[in-house]
Structures are given as C-alpha cells and as structure tokens.
Amino acid sequence: MLDKTIIQKTLRVPAGDGPAGDGGAVARQLDAVLLDVGFALSRDLMEHIGALAPAPALDLAATVVSAVRELVGDHVRHNAYFIGFPHDVPDTVEFWTDRLRAAVRTGGGTATDAQLRDAVAAGAVNLFDLPGYGTYQHTYAELLAAHDELIAAAGDRLTLLRLGDTAEAEATRLYLAMAGSSTPHGEADLAILSELAVACLDGVQPAEIPVRENRAVLDGIRLVLGRPLVGVDTTTDVLRVACQVSGGDASLATPTRFRAFRRPERRMLLAALDRVVGANQDKLGDVARHAERWKRLGERLHPHEYPQWPHAQQVFTVARGERRVSNLAGRAEAAIRAGAVGPAASVLSAAPGLLLRSADRLLRQATAAERTDVVEAVTGALGSASGRVLLSLREHVGNRLTPATARMYANRSRRAWIGPDARPPLPAGLVAELSSLLDAEIGARLPEPRRPLLVDPEVLDVALPLSGKASEGGFAVLPRGSRASVSGELLRFFMYWRQRRQRTDYDLSVLLLDDEFHTAGQVSWTNYHHDGVVHSGDITDASNGATEFIDVPLTVEGHYVVPQVYVFAGESFDEVAESMFGYQTRTRKQRGAPFDARTVRARSHLRGQGRIALPMVFARSERGWQAVWLHLYLAGRPSFNRVEDNTFSTAARVRALVERRHLTVSYLVDLWRARAEVTTWNGRLPDEPVTFIGLTAPDGLPAGSEAYTLDRLAELIPE
C-alpha cells in the first residue's frame, strides 16, 4: 500500500528489490498498458523493470497500473444513463413524457395524451418512480460496445512516471517532507502522514515539525506505541494528541468523543501537561478557549489520581471555571475595546503571528498617531513570523486597496459563505509601505539558488499552497485560486459516487454566467440541453457506483462555466463510500467512450462538509479558457438541492474568488529574479544543471538538477 501511495503522491516508482533477470517483455507490456491511461515510463524506469526477473517485474507492474488507474479515476466503471451520450440525448420534456407513457401504458399499447393528462392531474406521479428512470438500462459492456475506440489526439495527456529509490528511501523522503512541511495538510494528506509515520517511526525524524496538527498525528502514534511525545510546548498540543488518538479532529474544528485511555497513555498525557504548565504558567491562558473539551478529557484522564503532577491538575481547574486566567489575545481585545489600539499592538508583539493576522483590524481602528505605532510593531514582528504568515499577509494587503464586491469566508472544512465587505480600504501609501516591507522580508528568506532557475510558464499562475486544507486530494489538483490553461475544443465533466448505507442521489450540474456574473443558462437533470451543452442523464441510486457527465463545447455563450455537484438525497460527501469530480478535454472529432483516462486533465476527491460542491470554475480570458480551482462547499438544504435554487449564491462565491488577487508562484519567481538567473522553459533541455520549477519535470534534465514540481511546491514557501 505504501508503494501505491508514493507513486500517487510523487509520480516516482520505488525501485524493485527482486532478483535480476529478463523482464523486458513485462516492461514493454507495462508501457503499452500505461499509454492507455495517459502515462508513460521514463527511460530509467523502463530499463530498471526490464532488468528484473519476470516475477518481481510483474509484481511491480501490477502496483504501478493499480496506482495510476486509481489516481485518474479509472479504477471504477463510468457508465452513462443514455448509452449514446453525448449523442442521442433526448429533450428533457420528451424524455419525461416517454417515461410517463411507460408508466400508464395498458395492455401493451401506447398511452394516449388524455391518459397522461389524467395521470398528472391525479397528483400521483413521482418522476423518480417512473419505469426506468434513474437506473442504468444497459451494462457497462454494452456502453463500450456502442462506442468506437478513442481517437488519439496530439493534445491528449501523457504523464511521465520516474524511477525512484528503494521503497524504504522513498517512504522516508516523503515522510520527512510531509512531517516537516510548513503548511497544514488536508484530511487525505494527514491520513497519508499517519501511515508513513508508522512505517518510519524508528528511522530518521524531521529536525522540526512546524505545523501543530502534524505533530499531533505523529505524537498520537507515539502515544499508542509508548514512545515519548515530541514538540509539545502548549496545553493545546496535548489536547490535539488526545483528539487524534480518539479518531477525532486534531485541528479542533469539530468536537471529538474521547475514547478510554490506557493507564500508560493517561500518564504520558498528564506528564506532558505538567511539563508545559510547570515551565510557563501563562500556558494556562489557552485552556478557557477549549474548556468544554478539557472537561470531557478530564473525565477520561482522571487527573485527581496523579498528585505527582499538580500543574496538570491546574489545567482542569481552569477548564471548570474555578480559576480565571487571562491570555494574551484577551488582554489585546480589552485594549482595543477601550480604544487603545497602540497598546494592543504592543501586547500582541509577544505573539508575532497573531499580531500580523490582526494587522488589518489594528490599522483600520488606529488613529493617525497610533497607526505609526502599529506599523512599527508589525515591522518588528516580521522577522519572527513564519513565512506562511508573511505570505498570507502579503496576499491580504494586496487586496485592500478597494472593497471587494463581496467578502467570502471559507473555513478549514472548505465551507464557504458570503457577506458584504464593509471594511474601509487601506490608504494606498500604507498598502505600498507594508507590501515593500513584506517583499523585502520574504525575499531575504528565499534560499540562495545554487543553480540557474528554469521555470515552466504553466506553473506561474498556480496559487502558493499556503494551506493544504484549501484543496482536495487527487490528480493534478491545484490550490484554491490557481489557474490552469485549458486546451482542446470540448470540456467533459464527470462525477462519480458510490453510496455506503442508503440510497444516495447526487446531481452534476453546470451554471453558465455572463461577464457580469449574471445567469446565462444551466444544464442539469431538469434541463439536458442548452447552447450545445449536454447532460448524460440522471442517476438516482449508486449502490454499485454511478457516474454523470456533462459536455461543454468551448464555443458556448457565457463568460464563466461553473460545474457543481448537488446532494439531492441521501449521504453527504463525507459519508459516501467514494466520490470524485474531474474534467476531460477533447477535440470535436474525438470519439470514444464517455470516460477515457487519457483525456483526464484533473480528478479530485469530493469529501468536504456541505450539500453542494463547487470544485472549480472555467473562465474565458484574453489568453483563452482557464480552469480556476475553487474547492468550496455550501451548506445547501438537507435534501432536494437544485442548481435553479442556488444561482445567486453560487455566482456571488464564484465572483468573490475569481476577482481576488492570489499570490502565485510568479510572485516568488519575481523576487528571485533580483538574485539569480531565471530562464523560461521553452521545451529545450539545458546543458548544465538547473533548478526546475513546473507542474511536472521534463525527462532528461542534466545530472545534478533539482525539480520542484506540483508535489513539492510547498517547499518553495520560505520558513
């Protein structure tokens, strides 16, 4: 399983350790199979498999095929309701009428219009109960038989797989990179980190684990295995570990039901608490923020049974409200409410990250005299804050010259809501001053390039991955706000889901918006056709998995194409057994089955909280069409969500994110230009070693080169 994870995360195949032999036939066969799903072997990988004995070569080949098929969503069967899709899809009303005729047909004849009117007037007609509605009327094999083989096109995707080191070395490399990452991981990556931590527990450990949730994952494993905890320096760190080992949320965004702890586990957690509070009584200031969780945890840890750790007992005294302890944020808030913004900034200077995250509010509320004090405090904090905080503030400041059309809020679960932007803009001079200060500090922290930089222009519009929680796992998935050019003449969206316990109906829909974000049309289960856009048909049950498709010709009227997934009934995105969204690009003349892995450009999981998913939007620009990643979820209604009922809220969220100016890779590259040679990748291999930055690295870079690709872009963020 770890080998598959490594391949999917890095596109590197761990070297096989079997005996040598003649595996050339296996290597050639594997290369042919991979071409059918849009992948190819690098020269080194081809030679490595060919040098293995046939048996280990076959084992390695099976792992590779399984990993990449799952990566692009080809591990399941993507059937379509209408077997001829995208052709032969009937008009929506005609289709419903045909289904209604089948429902009232008597004696094998054809129902008359009068019979249809009587059936509808009686009020007993349920669309979803009509014969043949919402369930496949043909097998997957019959679907394939009805379609020609895919006609290959020059623009079809071809992703290169490279040869890695041994499985142990690759696992260690990935573990150190993920554990030592300076950006928080999403749910999928935290699960991978946990799996890697178990395998790498006795090996090399990261020198530093900056993200506290990562520490909680690792310490949760160490707690269960009886190893000393590492990096615990706040009371909240201990709470995170308790949540993690209880199968809950280490980010503390959602409540956790604590499990029973074994005595050795209780002793380790209480001892850690005692050390933290004993070293600094101010650490008790964080307890009140999570008081209820601490009280519930106290019921499991029984701190009164351990008088040798009196400082740990103080934590639960504060949680029960028997002792009041003010924290730094509380003191700053009291100063702000009293109108003393300058002193509030001085208080927050003890916590540089908190000060910088509060900078906008302080500057808005400060008087002209106090504003100088706030800027001085912010300037003094820059050198102590993390690079991720500096970049977040730089992006924020760049969007504060004018009020936004709407202010969008998105939490760690990617749930989004909209409100008016009532904040007065910051003065242009102040924005310029702060931007200059931040640029200087961020630029100074960038590592000194040892080689010339070679940059693929396709990566310049990728938003800096400041948080893995703002995106989903999958294939070629980019951070929220990233833009990617779209080739081809036709977009094909696909959405697959498989229910777990109850009948679940998901609906794939497309909303079309004009250049002012007004509705220009929609295609969904209630409207199969609009301006050349075609729906594949509605599936209402996914016991064995189901797929819906929508074709969008890029000649469509409208400025924005917004694919969406609605939970009409049943399990939510984080409850179903599996759910995914992706898009393919094709030419007008390309035939083939509705799904073909070679044409998949991106495939993401759908695992967020909410009943409506907005994975991305496609925007028409001067450079052609671009895909803009959203990774948003809306609460929606408990059931019966439809695109027609959410046009305004969807458009508002799309506009808020599309109009926001995100910090992208091009920002860091521009800072590097002042200190290093930067060349744009034009398809020619360089003669000397380089540092390559791109979505994927070309095959054949000179020995000694280093490549920062999609899986490593977070490493570009300075510490």
Side-chain angles (χ1 to χ4, degrees), residues 164-226:
D165 291 326
T166 64
E168 182 179 356
E170 287 293 334
T172 299
R173 180 185 290 117
L174 184 57
Y175 167 66
L176 293 176
M178 295 187 71
S181 173
S182 61
T183 61
H185 296 306
E187 299 90 335
D189 281 349
L190 284 176
I192 293 173
L193 176 60
S194 179
E195 183 182 7
L196 288 166
V198 173
C200 302
L201 187 64
D202 295 323
V204 179
Q205 299 299 308
E208 186 180 2
I209 309 172
V211 178
R212 296 188 182 275
E213 289 176 45
N214 295 353
R215 293 187 212 170
V217 169
L218 305 188
D219 277 335
I221 292 168
R222 301 181 73 87
L223 179 72
V224 172
L225 297 179

Side-chain angles (χ1 to χ4, degrees), residues 466-549:
L466 301 180
S467 174
K469 295 185 179 300
S471 65
E472 294 275 13
F475 171 70
V477 176
L478 303 180
R480 178 183 296 147
S482 299
R483 292 174 178 261
S485 59
V486 176
S487 60
E489 302 168 330
L490 181 76
L491 282 173
R492 177 168 294 172
F493 304 126
F494 64 93
M495 177 270 296
Y496 172 89
W497 78 105
R498 179 166 54 87
Q499 64 204 44
R500 188 183 299 274
R501 296 185 182 89
Q502 60 175 307
R503 187 184 73 83
T504 297
D505 180 5
Y506 284 6
D507 292 319
L508 178 63
S509 305
V510 160
L511 177 65
L512 303 174
L513 303 173
D514 64 17
D515 57 352
E516 293 295 325
F517 296 91
H518 298 144
T519 302
Q522 63 91 3
V523 169
S524 66
W525 67 274
T526 63
N527 187 37
Y528 288 157
H529 295 269
H530 177 85
D531 191 26
V533 184
V534 185
H535 195 286
S536 67
D538 187 24
I539 304 294
T540 61
D541 186 279
S543 303
N544 299 310
T547 306
E548 293 184 8
F549 300 90

Side-chain angles (χ1 to χ4, degrees), residues 21-78:
D22 184 7
V26 176
R28 290 189 295 273
Q29 185 178 13
L30 172 61
D31 197 45
V33 171
L34 289 177
L35 286 174
D36 283 340
V37 287
F39 289 85
L41 301 174
S42 69
R43 181 183 305 172
D44 289 347
L45 181 54
M46 187 89 166
E47 292 174 351
H48 171 74
I49 297 174
L52 293 174
L58 279 171
D59 290 341
L60 182 56
T63 300
V64 171
V65 172
S66 176
V68 300
R69 289 188 63 198
E70 185 176 306
L71 189 59
V72 295
D74 194 46
H75 61 296
V76 297
R77 293 182 170 183
H78 295 282

Side-chain angles (χ1 to χ4, degrees), residues 86-142:
H87 309 290
D88 306 322
V89 175
D91 174 80
T92 314
V93 175
E94 290 179 359
F95 170 69
W96 288 350
T97 302
D98 178 70
R99 293 298 88 210
L100 185 57
R101 288 186 190 279
V104 300
R105 186 177 300 151
T106 58
T110 301
T112 64
D113 291 344
Q115 288 175 310
L116 297 183
R117 286 194 296 269
D118 291 343
V120 173
V125 175
N126 183 341
L127 175 64
F128 305 113
D129 291 336
L130 296 180
Y133 187 89
T135 58
Y136 290 117
Q137 303 300 296
H138 54 267
T139 66
Y140 179 67
E142 289 170 339

Side-chain angles (χ1 to χ4, degrees), residues 298-329:
E299 295 170 356
R300 295 294 190 179
L301 296 184
H302 315 303
H304 60 280
E305 297 179 2
Y306 302 92
Q308 67 269 40
W309 293 311
H311 299 300
Q313 294 182 6
Q314 294 176 35
V315 170
F316 302 96
T317 301
V318 173
R320 293 192 298 267
E322 298 170 10
R323 176 182 173 185
R324 293 183 61 86
V325 179
S326 62
N327 60 13
L328 183 144

Side-chain angles (χ1 to χ4, degrees), residues 386-398:
S386 70
R388 188 168 66 91
V389 171
L390 296 178
L391 289 165
S392 297
L393 180 58
R394 180 63 178 85
E395 178 176 295
H396 177 84
V397 168

Side-chain angles (χ1 to χ4, degrees), residues 46 55 74 97 109 117 204 218 267 272 290 293 339 373 386 405 431 439 451 499 521 554 575 581 639 642 656 698:
M46 187 89 166
D74 194 46
T97 302
R117 286 194 296 269
V204 179
L218 305 188
R267 295 173 64 89
H290 304 292
R293 286 189 174 94
D373 296 334
S386 70
T405 54
V431 168
D439 291 345
R451 317 171 191 84
Q499 64 204 44
L554 291 180
E575 294 174 333
F581 167 87
S639 56
R642 299 187 310 159

